[in-house]
Amino acid sequence: MSTDDSTDADAGGTEDEGPSLTRRDLVKAVGAVGAIGAASAATVNVDTDDLWADNTEHYVGDDYGEYGASDVIHTTCGQCNTFCPIKVRLADDSGTGEYSSLVRKLAGNPYSFLNTQPFSQVPYSSDPEEVATGDVAGSGDVDADRWSLSGGRICLKGQAGIQTAFDSYRVRKPMKRVGPRGSGEWKTVSWKQAIEDIVEGDDDLGHPGLRDLWGYAPEDEVMDDWEAVQSGELDKSAFDEKWGDALIDTDHPDMGPKANQIVDVGGFRRNFIRTRLWHQGLGSINSVHHAGTCGFSSVMGNVRSHAAQKKRQYPDVENCEYLLVWGTNPMVANKGPTWLAPKLTNAIEDGMRMDVVDPRLSKTAEKADTWVPVEPGADGALALGMARWILEHDRHDVEYLRNPAESAAAADGEPTWSDATHLVLVDEEAGPKARATDLGLVPADHELADDFVAVDASTGEPRPASEVETGVLDVSLTVDGTAVRSVWSLYRDRVFEHTVEEYAEMSGVSADRIAEVADEFTSHGERAAIMAYRGPAKHTNGFYNTRAIATLQHLIGNYDWKGGQITPYAGYSTMSGRYELGQVPDGHSPWGIPLLRGGVNYEDTTLFERDDGYPAKRPWFPVAPPQATQELYGSAADEYPYGVEALFIRPYSNNHVMAVAGGDQIPDILGDPDTIPLVVASDTVIGETSKYADYILPEPTYLERWENFGTYPNKRLADEKISQPAVEVVPDSRPFEEVLIDLWTELDLPGVGEDAIPDADGELWPLERAEDFYLKLAANIACDREPVPDASEEEMRVFRESHEQGLGDSFDLDRWKRAVSDEEWAKVVTVLNRGGRFEEPVDDYADRFAEHGHEYDYAERFDDSNAYDGDQMRYKLGSRVDFYSEVVPKGKHSYTGERFDPLPRVDDVEHYDGGVQAPVTDDGDPERPLRLINWKPRTQGMHRTTNSPWLRETRPQNPLWINPRDAEERGIENGDTIVIDAGRRTVEGVAMVTNGIRPGVVGAMWGWGRSGDGAVEETIDGETRGPVEDDGHTPYQFDEPMTEEAGLAKGRDAGFAINHLQPLDEELSDTGLSDLVGGSNAQYDAFVEIERT
Amino acid sequence: MDEATARTTEGESPTDDCESESASDEVERAPDATAAAAAGGAAGDDADAARARAAVYGLLAAAFDGDHDTLAGALCDGTLADLAVRFPGDADGGALDRPDLDAEGLRVGYDNLFVVPGPHYIPPFASAWADDPSESFESDSPYHDAGAAGELLGDPAAVAARSHAAVGFEPERGDAIPDHLAAELEFMRALCEREAALLADASDATDDLVAVRERQRETVGRLGWLDDFHEAVEAEDAVEGVFAALARLARTFVAWDAQHGIAAPDSGTVPPQ
């Protein structure tokens, strides 16, 4: 290396040809550059002292690094819908503060009883410093045991959260499309520009602004005038004149205000975005979450089977003797495997028998005593078959069933009772249950006028149910000329419509097996339970399947008993207490027919007359909330019940193109700006759905924002989690609720800005940033029941330091403090330092924990358990359970006008027009012989995007499981490349031949199948290239499944998108089939043929 | 007459987007060149070179930071074309000779290559090109290729941030990503300017000079990923080619600078008497 510039440099740069440039040459060349380059003012200051000082010592992989509470923030995971409480261990020494901290590791939150299962959590009062270093007395000793409870469990998806946040493909700036929707070209714009365009409209793209689109008027005023029009008191033209600006259609005022045409889609932050901002701020009824593409029918099936809130089915695992897992996979999926898997494993070790009903041998089924491979969609038949066997053998709990009301139940020491003895007015159209006044038993103003009626066993007379100690089960009577029958007799008749052999035939499960399972289920008193979820639900008959399963538990009355069915909706107050977060001063009341047509009968609307009655153009869901998301795009395209003018999507948990059965139809609809004129997505990456937006706004990932997710009712104690920002990775990202605050402020809508949130005293507080809401929520949590203690000075310090480290310059402690009162702040810090509030299993927990340690089931072992109340659960359902739902028949099928069924039943899987897609009641004649099912893989949370999960080395794509019998018939061997023909689409896949799936059924995991590059024609910089011929075609070698071949993950087009193989509804053709009662879309009802390539 | 001068005498259409003020100016020497030249000898040469290098780094930093006005100007008036042509291997000299190009087009091109994480994205920061953990990195994006373009703010960012911090440098360019190409190029600009200032300063700045040059060497040492980066940009920007050419220029210039540009630690200093 010479200092002599004039030396001819023959050692060139990276290129070989030509003489190399000398420094003098450069000077000459640059002379012409002048001052152009020096635009930025950043300078360096080389101080001699810092000269060689490189303060960081470069270790490679040190021992367990010591860290403290100031390096930890507790928040909630967002990698799947379980939302485990987690601990974020911030990285040491991440840099100068140009960006906030990095994450060193994620683990479970040791304060939470969820992620410490099967052990007990650290006491809530534990010093965060001691928790972080694993020094809490009783939590184990790293030096001695090489283990301590300084971190809880977390699954592999959770661990990958670091990659979610620190992803080079994060959207970093607001983006506006250049060219047609979905064309893949964008330009970045400022936030100011984006907000302005969304509010005022944009001429470039030609889309309207919210200001033009919005209109609102209160329902009572409109409807009063409408009535006046009907009665001739008011001129229609005057009505049109008055309400034309506010209403969607003055000929159909029941559609509601124009605000309804501004639609929000996004699973979470519902209390904030849906309740406050959308409903009361904007006045729009249309804030949609993912229910229809998820377990909606399961939720509704459970809701209609119990009087008090119960949407899910879970057992008290620790004491359960017989668990029937039905169509769910708690070892790996469900909500959440982090605690369910260890609990179930230990329970099995302790002697619990677990059987699993599932067409395939899932991980949970592998651990079962008996695997029951049911025919997909025929779960209702299996359940009713079990019911028939139970009734025939008198194995139902007659004493339980004969309690007509709470009083009788309490006398028997039962926390719940059933409607078995209640009388039904069978001649009335919707078959409602009889009330005491209906049968003339008491006068109309009597306090028991509304009581149900049961026949008193001691007198043989019908009486108000609360006055009856023991009812008669089989009743068929006429009372005062009114025909009545008991629920039990109706249920029994329903069950006896088929023999056990017939049910066996329908469900594909032998009569012997049905008997065995039913026998076992009724041999453990109340210590038997069912855990069911999406398997039976994701069919058009999913609601009835779920009802059939739920009612099995009515037969043994296991609710609220140790070892039985649990219903622990147990948390801490979030939306009210110190602050009424759901209240918007001068807020709007949303009204009108929801876009997704839930909660209202078609014939009760003005559309009925307009469209000449039945059939309705698209499905209505009269007895379910309007959350059949799968109908959204087709409804927009059909403008039914009305068009969508603006759609705001948060694809996190709502990546519809991938998650909706038939979602491959969505791009055509979304891609057309005439159908939905304005589409705004708030996303962390450009996904399969957000790529069709007009604007993509950068969202923070779950590690960077606030949230409050509930825990599923599969726990024994109360908890409330709070998610808080732990790091800030993309400085320009903004949580969508803050963007909405800006938009609503521009539009002068209520509930944002000053005077937005009332406290308990009626004082109004401002709402400008997300923390203004969530810190108050934390205050509500902190002060509920017995308020948490104030944070000590030490804890205040830890709070400040950890947040400064994680959030850097964007953490404004003073601003956070101003969101609540000073007294509340001290308690908020306590809650935030722990990531929420987690009930302890017993009193004096800290002392006992120090004595007995973490490996002790306190809730079981001590009498003052917070989980149990003697032999019962502390958190109870405590209500009536229903064989018969009188709500359901109020709904009518919008194609035929027929009422829905109040009882469980067996049904075929049907298209909207009644055409059979998958027969259950008979063999039918499906077009292709193999039933296609799918399931949540271990490694994916939801269809947020479809990129392969991080264990692709062991699972490079989603192989298709196929039984050896079916494989042999087709000459297919394990590992063969195959073509999967679903009729309207074919894709390529690879076969995994296994006995672990029912013959006649094939299936794969969802979560694969990119629709990007190559799937459609693309124009890049003026050059167009055509689509690839075969969807999902991959030009590379697949691994042979089930061989332990580790290695690098495969290429990006691995696998196929299973929802794009689902059949489209025959009548609708733009989306898949739906369950009109429960609202789920059908995702396990495709029929395919497989061929070797 | 060199090409730049030739162009300026041709006269341009007034409707041209090219409205750089220097378009019709005479070729000028860099402002401080005179002063440094007066310092004389090797120090003067080093100072000139440092300033020249600073100017180039600054221009490239602006280009990769999305400073479209600066970039449009430099394309328009041929500055970049001139520069590129000096370096060996500039096969497609025309790509940077763009008097026709408008700032909006440049902007969209820049956005889609370096900001929008879509089908054309080439992440312009070192972490995305690091092998570890890139090969096994998982992204939620459907545009992410397995085994490529992994982390944001990975170890290379930490190293860059520490290096910047050690000398009190806070980059304004690079979207708050320390290992962003624009940030590192800006860093080099600042280091080169500092070197030039030290050389112009009559008092003995040997230790500081050594430090600054060492820091420069260390910084270009972090830019090895530019080779892969350039190839990727060239593959993606196949039609217009402006950013492909810029990437090539950046890669070539940095490589040249590492070999020839960065002076020996004590070059240009007064030898001990």
Side-chain angles (χ1 to χ4, degrees):
Chain A
M1 193 182 330
S2 164
T3 57
D4 184 353
D5 285 344
S6 56
T7 307
D8 184 29
D10 50 8
T14 53
E15 314 294 327
D16 290 323
E17 294 122 26
S20 184
L21 189 68
T22 66
R23 293 162 82 230
R24 196 161 272 160
D25 290 336
L26 182 73
V27 172
K28 279 203 222 138
V30 169
V33 171
I36 288 179
S40 137
T43 56
V44 297
N45 169 30
V46 182
D47 202 302
T48 314
D49 289 334
D50 292 335
L51 187 46
W52 298 109
D54 193 356
N55 293 323
T56 56
E57 293 163 5
H58 296 285
Y59 292 149
V60 176
D62 213 343
D63 312 333
Y64 60 92
E66 283 294 334
Y67 61 93
S70 303
D71 300 300
V72 171
I73 291 182
H74 292 116
T75 182
T76 327
C77 185
Q79 294 286 80
C80 86
N81 281 9
T82 300
F83 307 123
C84 290
I86 59 171
K87 160 182 167 173
V88 177
R89 168 15 188 159
L90 300 167
D92 302 320
D93 190 25
S94 306
T96 58
E98 292 150 12
Y99 56 100
S100 82
S101 184
L102 303 177
V103 176
R104 166 86 182 259
K105 184 167 191 322
L106 298 169
N109 179 348
Y111 286 104
S112 152
F113 52 76
L114 296 172
N115 289 69
T116 48
Q117 290 293 330
F119 307 122
S120 295
Q121 76 264 35
V122 298
Y124 196 72
S125 55
S126 304
D127 180 358
E129 202 66 54
E130 287 184 354
V131 173
T133 52
D135 286 333
V136 175
S139 70
D141 184 353
V142 165
D143 292 324
D145 309 326
R146 288 193 287 170
W147 192 91
S148 81
L149 205 57
S150 66
R153 287 175 186 265
I154 192 170
C155 81
L156 65 172
K157 306 185 297 292
Q159 293 276 7
I162 297 177
Q163 298 180 346
T164 298
F166 295 93
D167 178 355
S168 37
Y169 276 77
R170 292 272 310 261
V171 176
R172 290 191 261 129
K173 304 269 179 229
M175 307 186 321
K176 181 172 170 175
R177 69 176 163 93
V178 172
R181 281 193 185 157
S183 63
E185 282 185 18
W186 304 85
K187 69 177 177 192
T188 59
V189 295
S190 65
W191 272 108
K192 185 160 173 294
Q193 185 69 51
I195 300 229
E196 194 181 303
D197 289 350
I198 292 170
V199 171
E200 308 296 347
D202 176 54
D203 290 330
D204 271 351
L205 297 185
H207 70 73
L210 287 182
R211 201 184 293 287
D212 298 317
L213 296 174
W214 187 79
Y216 179 84
E219 182 177 22
D220 46 6
E221 285 178 39
V222 171
M223 285 315 182
D224 280 348
D225 279 358
W226 182 246
E227 270 172 40
V229 170
Q230 305 304 305
S231 65
E233 285 164 35
L234 180 63
D235 238 10
K236 178 65 166 48
S237 56
F239 180 87
D240 290 351
E241 170 95 28
K242 184 174 180 188
W243 298 118
D245 284 338
L247 295 181
I248 296 173
D249 187 341
T250 52
D251 291 338
H252 299 278
D254 52 351
M255 288 182 181
K258 287 200 159 101
N260 286 351
Q261 296 181 291
I262 303 170
V263 178
D264 162 59
V265 179
F268 299 102
R269 290 163 275 169
R270 295 174 201 178
N271 286 334
F272 196 157
I273 296 181
R274 178 163 18 133
T275 305
R276 282 197 70 89
L277 296 173
W278 224 264
H279 283 179
Q280 297 178 77
L282 189 63
S284 168
I285 203 168
N286 291 315
S287 175
V288 176
H289 60 80
H290 67 289
T293 63
C294 192
F296 204 9
S297 290
S298 175
V299 167
M300 294 315 299
N302 287 319
V303 165
R304 300 296 176 212
S305 300
H306 312 90
Q309 183 185 37
K310 185 173 180 59
K311 305 195 270 189
R312 315 275 170 200
Q313 298 197 10
Y314 287 103
D316 172 34
V317 180
E318 277 81 352
N319 294 291
C320 189
E321 289 175 11
Y322 178 67
L323 175 60
L324 187 57
V325 175
W326 200 315
T328 185
N329 194 3
M331 290 295 193
V332 156
N334 200 281
K335 305 278 173 36
T338 348
W339 58 94
L340 292 176
K343 279 161 58 114
L344 288 171
T345 305
N346 282 357
I348 294 170
E349 279 295 298
D350 286 345
M352 177 182 84
R353 172 172 165 166
M354 179 177 75
D355 289 346
V356 175
V357 177
D358 195 319
R360 75 163 182 129
L361 190 69
S362 65
K363 284 286 174 227
T364 306
E366 285 176 20
K367 312 294 183 288
D369 185 290
T370 301
W371 170 40
V372 182
V374 70
E375 178 73 25
D379 308 84
L382 175 57
L384 289 176
M386 284 173 65
R388 169 112 196 204
W389 188 93
I390 291 170
L391 265 53
E392 275 179 350
H393 292 79
D394 287 318
R395 297 290 286 271
H396 47 290
D397 187 345
V398 172
E399 251 187 65
Y400 173 82
L401 293 168
R402 294 174 75 173
N403 288 328
E406 185 169 7
S407 39
D412 276 349
E414 281 284 357
T416 66
W417 64 100
S418 79
D419 67 345
T421 54
H422 297 181
L423 302 183
V424 173
L425 301 168
V426 288
D427 282 344
E428 285 200 26
E429 222 208 291
K433 289 174 177 171
R435 299 304 195 276
T437 32
D438 294 333
L439 300 182
L441 300 178
V442 294
D445 56 357
H446 193 278
E447 64 171 350
L448 294 181
D450 268 335
D451 234 27
F452 294 115
V453 180
V455 171
D456 192 328
S458 55
T459 63
E461 292 300 313
R463 293 297 310 149
S466 335
E467 289 185 347
V468 177
E469 207 183 291
T470 305
V472 175
L473 282 178
D474 267 302
V475 177
S476 184
L477 280 184
T478 311
V479 176
D480 250 2
T482 311
V484 292
R485 291 190 64 192
S486 64
V487 163
W488 181 254
S489 69
L490 294 169
Y491 173 74
R492 197 191 157 89
D493 278 358
R494 169 58 47 83
V495 169
F496 275 67
E497 275 174 15
H498 300 282
T499 61
V500 174
E501 284 68 29
E502 284 166 353
Y503 285 124
E505 175 76 27
M506 287 189 255
S507 62
V509 177
S510 73
D512 283 344
R513 181 70 80 211
I514 294 180
E516 184 195 328
V517 174
D519 186 5
E520 196 66 42
F521 181 66
T522 50
S523 296
H524 297 270
E526 287 106 2
R527 297 196 176 217
I530 302 177
M531 187 195 304
Y533 194 23
R534 285 163 37 104
K538 300 296 298 182
H539 312 269
T540 62
N541 59 0
F543 174 83
Y544 293 126
N545 287 340
T546 303
R547 287 273 288 138
I549 296 167
T551 46
L552 283 174
Q553 290 181 117
H554 300 356
L555 295 176
I556 63 173
N558 63 355
Y559 299 96
D560 301 339
W561 286 99
K562 255 184 162 172
Q565 178 66 216
I566 64 177
T567 310
Y569 286 102
Y572 296 88
S573 186
T574 53
M575 292 294 282
S576 57
R578 303 291 292 210
Y579 298 94
E580 296 307 315
L581 293 173
Q583 277 182 31
V584 172
D586 300 322
H588 297 117
S589 291
W591 62 280
I593 301 171
L595 177 68
L596 301 180
R597 305 176 299 280
V600 55
N601 265 314
Y602 168 50
E603 68 180 39
D604 295 332
T605 70
T606 62
L607 298 184
F608 190 75
E609 207 187 293
R610 181 191 79 175
D611 297 342
D612 294 321
Y614 296 105
K617 192 161 185 193
R618 296 192 74 95
W620 292 64
F621 305 88
V623 293
Q627 299 292 346
T629 327
Q630 67 272 18
E631 278 288 307
L632 200 156
Y633 302 93
S635 300
D638 283 348
E639 291 190 2
Y640 188 82
Y642 41 78
V644 175
E645 295 289 336
L647 181 64
F648 290 80
I649 317 181
R650 283 165 287 140
Y652 176 86
S653 185
N654 281 276
N655 184 355
H656 294 152
V657 168
M658 299 313 297
V660 169
D664 50 292
Q665 303 295 308
I666 292 176
D668 278 344
I669 297 171
L670 251 191
D672 178 7
D674 287 333
T675 304
I676 304 176
L678 172 60
V679 178
V680 177
S682 182
D683 207 348
T684 54
V685 296
I686 302 178
E688 289 77 3
T689 302
S690 52
K691 75 190 246 194
Y692 294 100
D694 297 314
Y695 299 86
I696 300 183
L697 307 174
E699 259 246 304
T701 62
Y702 72 91
L703 286 172
E704 303 162 81
R705 58 179 171 80
W706 293 94
E707 178 61 274
N708 162 238
F709 300 103
T711 303
Y712 266 46
N714 55 22
K715 49 177 186 158
R716 299 181 298 179
L717 299 167
D719 79 322
E720 202 64 53
K721 305 177 292 227
I722 187 122
S723 201
Q724 60 183 315
V727 288
E728 184 197 73
V729 180
V730 171
D732 276 326
S733 65
R734 301 182 66 201
F736 193 55
E737 53 267 38
E738 284 186 15
V739 180
L740 290 175
I741 290 174
D742 279 359
L743 293 172
W744 278 206
T745 302
E746 291 294 316
L747 295 168
D748 226 350
L749 293 174
V752 296
E754 290 298 313
D755 298 333
I757 300 178
D759 65 19
D761 301 321
E763 295 293 314
L764 296 176
W765 293 67
L767 176 59
E768 272 145 17
R769 305 274 312 259
E771 63 251 21
D772 295 335
F773 178 91
Y774 288 103
L775 287 166
K776 295 181 175 59
L777 191 140
N780 284 343
I781 294 174
C783 298
D784 189 27
R785 293 165 72 168
E786 202 180 298
V788 303
D790 288 355
S792 62
E793 282 302 307
E794 186 55 21
E795 280 214 27
M796 292 284 194
R797 179 188 63 77
V798 159
F799 179 82
R800 181 181 50 78
E801 284 178 1
S802 58
H803 286 75
E804 278 170 358
Q805 183 175 350
L807 303 172
D809 288 333
S810 66
F811 176 57
D812 187 344
L813 177 61
D814 289 327
R815 201 189 181 287
W816 282 35
K817 276 172 149 172
R818 284 202 300 274
V820 295
S821 74
D822 291 335
E823 303 80 49
E824 289 159 358
W825 177 251
K827 298 190 187 305
V828 164
V829 169
T830 300
V831 168
L832 290 182
N833 272 348
R834 290 157 179 76
R837 211 171 153 180
F838 308 99
E839 186 175 28
E840 295 177 331
V842 290
D843 297 333
D844 298 323
Y845 184 50
D847 291 333
R848 285 150 126 174
F849 186 82
E851 190 188 329
H852 298 282
H854 58 272
E855 267 188 277
Y856 204 78
D857 190 350
Y858 296 84
E860 279 301 309
R861 305 281 281 265
F862 290 108
D863 287 330
D864 63 333
S865 165
N866 287 327
Y868 298 106
D869 184 6
D871 271 334
Q872 294 173 11
M873 307 304 298
R874 170 145 171 243
Y875 295 102
K876 297 187 173 65
L877 173 66
S879 78
R880 191 188 74 243
V881 300
D882 286 336
F883 286 97
Y884 186 102
S885 168
E886 55 178 358
V887 174
V888 175
K890 291 187 184 164
K892 294 182 175 178
H893 194 293
S894 54
Y895 198 88
T896 58
E898 267 177 45
R899 289 188 184 276
F900 296 143
D901 201 312
L903 290 168
R905 56 182 284 121
V906 180
D907 252 358
D908 296 328
V909 172
E910 290 172 358
H911 292 258
Y912 181 46
D913 64 3
V916 173
Q917 168 65 20
V920 174
T921 55
D922 57 31
D923 284 335
D925 188 19
E927 271 175 52
R928 285 165 296 279
L930 299 170
R931 184 70 161 272
L932 176 70
I933 63 171
N934 58 78
W935 55 88
K936 171 180 170 182
R938 184 165 41 101
T939 47
Q940 275 275 24
M942 36 208 140
H943 255 115
R944 276 181 294 143
T945 67
T946 60
N947 207 22
S948 309
W950 67 294
L951 279 194
R952 278 181 303 161
E953 293 92 56
T954 58
R955 190 72 75 199
Q957 69 281 316
N958 48 345
L960 190 76
W961 292 32
I962 179 170
N963 187 280
R965 259 188 255 169
D966 297 319
E968 195 176 19
E969 242 176 70
R970 294 160 175 82
I972 293 173
E973 286 178 4
N974 186 48
D976 281 350
T977 313
I978 51 174
V979 170
I980 305 165
D981 177 8
R984 67 187 189 90
R985 249 171 138 80
T986 60
V987 297
E988 206 172 86
V990 67
M992 176 170 131
V993 179
T994 170
N995 270 304
I997 193 158
R998 193 189 157 77
V1001 178
V1002 294
M1005 299 165 226
W1006 48 254
W1008 273 260
R1010 279 193 31 207
S1011 66
D1013 304 46
V1016 295
E1017 188 183 26
E1018 280 196 347
T1019 303
I1020 299 163
D1021 292 335
E1023 280 184 349
T1024 302
R1025 56 179 199 232
V1028 295
E1029 292 307 300
D1030 292 72
D1031 229 348
H1033 171 73
T1034 52
Y1036 55 85
Q1037 283 290 86
F1038 283 93
D1039 271 350
E1040 185 161 310
M1042 294 195 291
T1043 59
E1044 289 301 319
E1045 216 180 279
L1048 294 180
K1050 301 303 182 198
R1052 59 185 147 153
D1053 271 337
F1056 60 93
I1058 204 152
N1059 276 322
H1060 298 176
L1061 295 181
Q1062 302 305 316
L1064 300 177
D1065 187 284
E1066 260 159 28
E1067 179 74 10
L1068 306 170
S1069 10
D1070 53 20
T1071 189
L1073 287 68
S1074 287
D1075 174 1
L1076 268 72
V1077 191
S1080 276
N1081 66 348
Q1083 280 174 321
Y1084 310 143
D1085 297 323
F1087 285 90
V1088 300
E1089 177 57 278
I1090 313 292
E1091 217 173 68
R1092 211 169 149 241
T1093 55
Chain B
M1 187 161 64
D2 62 82
E3 286 181 323
T5 317
R7 185 173 302 104
T8 59
T9 58
E10 270 167 32
E12 279 133 4
S13 151
T15 59
D16 213 280
D17 265 13
C18 214
E19 286 182 10
S20 164
E21 284 166 356
S22 63
S24 54
D25 285 353
E26 288 298 319
V27 169
E28 278 182 29
R29 307 218 33 210
D32 287 335
T34 333
D45 286 345
D46 280 351
D48 283 346
R51 261 186 299 276
R53 291 162 60 230
V56 176
Y57 275 118
L59 181 55
L60 290 173
F64 282 104
D65 193 37
D67 183 345
H68 310 301
D69 290 330
T70 301
L71 178 58
L75 285 172
C76 222
D77 64 12
T79 306
L80 280 166
D82 284 348
L83 210 45
V85 105
R86 310 284 170 160
F87 291 90
D90 182 359
D92 180 15
L96 288 174
D97 184 1
R98 301 300 298 270
D100 65 304
L101 214 48
D102 73 335
E104 184 65 16
L106 278 177
R107 178 190 173 188
V108 172
Y110 174 84
D111 278 350
N112 283 284
L113 285 168
F114 304 124
V115 185
V116 171
H120 310 299
Y121 189 45
I122 317 282
F125 40 85
S127 297
W129 300 88
D131 277 342
D132 175 17
S134 188
E135 280 175 342
S136 63
F137 193 86
E138 280 303 330
S139 166
D140 278 344
S141 169
Y143 296 108
H144 166 244
D145 278 354
E151 242 182 334
L152 174 66
L153 302 182
D155 287 341
V159 171
R162 277 196 286 273
S163 181
H164 300 172
V167 293
F169 176 72
E170 284 175 23
E172 289 176 12
R173 298 197 182 281
D175 198 17
I177 300 169
D179 57 340
H180 193 289
L181 182 54
E184 295 270 66
L185 291 172
E186 187 62 22
F187 189 42
M188 281 304 291
R189 179 198 63 75
L191 289 169
C192 290
E193 280 182 354
R194 180 81 183 129
E195 181 186 359
L198 287 169
L199 287 165
D201 181 355
S203 63
D204 177 27
T206 308
D207 285 347
D208 286 351
L209 259 182
V210 169
V212 102
R213 284 161 176 167
E214 186 50 45
R215 192 62 64 175
Q216 290 176 9
R217 196 164 296 286
E218 178 206 306
T219 303
V220 301
R222 287 201 292 276
L223 295 176
W225 56 281
L226 283 182
D227 292 352
D228 288 338
F229 175 74
H230 160 237
E231 273 164 33
V233 178
E234 191 145 286
E236 193 58 48
D237 184 18
V239 177
E240 295 288 349
V242 172
F243 291 98
L246 277 170
R248 182 185 316 111
L249 178 57
R251 165 192 189 177
T252 311
F253 180 70
V254 168
W256 176 87
D257 202 42
Q259 283 275 6
H260 305 287
I262 300 177
D266 56 2
S267 160
T269 59
V270 178
Q273 299 297 336

